[in-house]
């Protein structure tokens, strides 16, 4: 895709929602993945929202998106992570 055809202007702050079981290490694991794709990512900025029953945890990570390829690979990595149920 040509840059002029993209709906996203790079670089930009790009939020990604990640859902998984509310277990120890989930937040840290997702933070580690985010850092692989955005070395300037600050893990302290991860927003957390537990589900009503407390069994699941929704996270919002906001990375600095630099290209479509970066975002595609980040989504692939998150969706194949064993702790992740859903990525939006």
């Amino acid at each position: 895709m040509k840059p002029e055809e993209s709906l996203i202007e790079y670089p930009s702050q790009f939020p990604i929602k990640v859902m998984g079981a509310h277990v120890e290490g989930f937040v840290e694991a997702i933070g580690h993945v985010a850092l692989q794709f955005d070395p300037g990512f600050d893990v302290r900025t991860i927003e957390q929202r537990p589900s009503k029953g407390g069994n699941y945890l929704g996270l919002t990570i906001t990375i600095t998106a630099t290209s479509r390829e970066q975002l595609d690979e980040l989504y692939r990595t998150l969706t194949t992570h064993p702790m992740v149920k859903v990525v939006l």
Side-chain angles (χ1 to χ4, degrees):
M1 176 182 290
K2 297 177 187 173
E4 62 272 9
E5 295 174 353
S6 177
L7 298 175
I8 301 170
E9 191 174 311
Y10 300 102
S12 68
Q13 294 301 108
F14 194 86
I16 300 171
K17 296 192 183 296
V18 183
M19 292 284 299
H22 195 171
V23 296
E24 187 175 327
F26 179 57
V27 176
E28 292 80 6
I30 300 309
H32 179 74
V33 171
L35 279 166
Q36 291 176 17
F37 291 89
D38 177 6
F41 179 75
D42 184 352
V43 295
R44 296 172 297 179
T45 65
I46 297 175
E47 296 174 34
Q48 302 181 40
R49 289 180 194 83
S51 66
K52 191 174 188 177
N55 295 324
Y56 294 94
L57 186 61
L59 304 178
T60 301
I61 58 172
T62 302
I63 62 133
T64 301
T66 56
S67 69
R68 173 69 185 253
E69 294 78 16
Q70 174 208 30
L71 287 176
D72 287 347
E73 191 58 34
L74 175 54
Y75 271 91
R76 271 192 285 279
T77 301
L78 287 169
T79 57
T80 59
H81 193 284
M83 296 179 91
V84 172
K85 302 292 184 200
V86 177
V87 180
L88 302 171

